[in-house]
Amino acid sequence: MTNALTTIANDGWDDAATDARDRVLRGTLLKFADSNWTRGKEAEPVKRGTQLVAIGTAAAWARWQNGKPVEYRMREPGTKMPEREELGDLDQAQWELGPDGKTKRDPWQNTRFVYLVDPDTAEAFTFSTSSWGGREAVINLGDAIARMRMAHPNAMPIVALEAAPMITRYGRKSKPTFKIIGWKATGNGVPELIEPAELPF
């Protein structure tokens, strides 16, 4: 027996990773509220400026019951979201009260997910949002990725978790933002940083 590391042709980890990728929520849940980022069920604070790699996104209608999501209608790649009227549950008298405990809330929430990974530890996170400001953050990030991929088809952004002010009919609020601080290019090997001179703008 030697101390040399050997490569196992099929050790089962790829299959386990496939199972993980099939989940809607992967790793630790990230949330944003009142200018603060939190993680996990205990809402542990996450420092603003924390850097993660955004590796994917998804969109769905999430149906809530008793304060938690119980069903997802995922958007298929290359298609639009189903119309709300197609989902049923249209009788507002049957809706549950929302988080404020006063107002009826539509059980179906238009939701976005962003899948992120810590570049140092490979810990996985899922940012979930159904707010207008949160969905806008996902759309803006997607637009930036599409533009970068015109030059680098396999580019993935390194983002910092930040917040920005937002004016609403209820007054001044905050919204999450993903500040792009760099890019990684994925290929057959370990992802490499894209140098500034290689950027398409």
Side-chain angles (χ1 to χ4, degrees):
M1 183 178 294
T2 68
N3 292 327
L5 293 176
T6 60
T7 301
I8 301 175
N10 184 3
D11 58 5
W13 289 122
D14 286 345
D15 293 334
T18 299
D19 292 340
R21 286 192 293 270
D22 288 340
R23 298 172 180 167
V24 176
L25 301 179
R26 308 170 191 170
T28 302
L29 184 64
L30 279 179
K31 299 292 285 185
F32 177 89
D34 300 326
S35 299
N36 297 311
W37 289 88
T38 58
R39 55 176 286 168
K41 294 181 179 179
E42 302 302 322
E44 178 185 344
V46 175
K47 183 179 179 182
R48 291 245 316 251
T50 294
Q51 297 179 13
L52 302 170
V53 181
I55 63 170
T57 188
W61 285 103
R63 184 169 70 85
W64 286 71
Q65 186 176 358
N66 298 324
K68 61 182 180 181
V70 295
E71 181 182 353
Y72 295 104
R73 300 280 184 91
M74 306 302 296
R75 179 175 64 192
E76 295 297 325
T79 67
K80 292 183 177 181
M81 292 278 284
E83 296 295 331
R84 169 62 185 91
E85 290 72 18
E86 299 175 25
L87 305 175
D89 298 304
L90 301 176
D91 184 357
Q92 297 187 21
Q94 301 298 318
W95 292 0
E96 297 177 349
L97 294 177
D100 62 3
K102 300 177 182 179
T103 308
K104 294 274 189 176
R105 185 193 191 198
D106 188 338
W108 289 98
Q109 295 293 304
N110 190 345
T111 306
R112 297 293 182 276
F113 306 96
V114 178
Y115 301 113
L116 306 116
V117 170
D118 186 311
D120 297 319
T121 67
E123 182 177 4
F125 299 89
T126 299
F127 170 63
S128 173
T129 180
S130 57
S131 70
W132 182 88
R135 294 197 302 269
E136 182 187 40
V138 179
I139 291 170
N140 290 341
L141 179 59
D143 181 58
I145 292 171
R147 285 184 278 114
M148 173 59 77
R149 286 181 174 176
M150 294 175 66
H152 298 279
N154 297 317
M156 293 189 301
I158 306 168
V159 299
L161 305 182
E162 298 288 356
M166 177 176 64
I167 303 301
T168 73
R169 60 180 177 176
Y170 303 107
R172 187 182 179 89
K173 302 290 184 179
S174 62
K175 62 181 179 180
T177 61
F178 296 103
K179 182 179 179 181
I180 298 175
I181 60 170
W183 295 88
K184 284 182 176 293
T186 63
N188 294 327
V190 177
E192 298 180 353
L193 285 176
I194 298 175
E195 298 296 332
E198 302 177 76
L199 301 181
F201 43 77

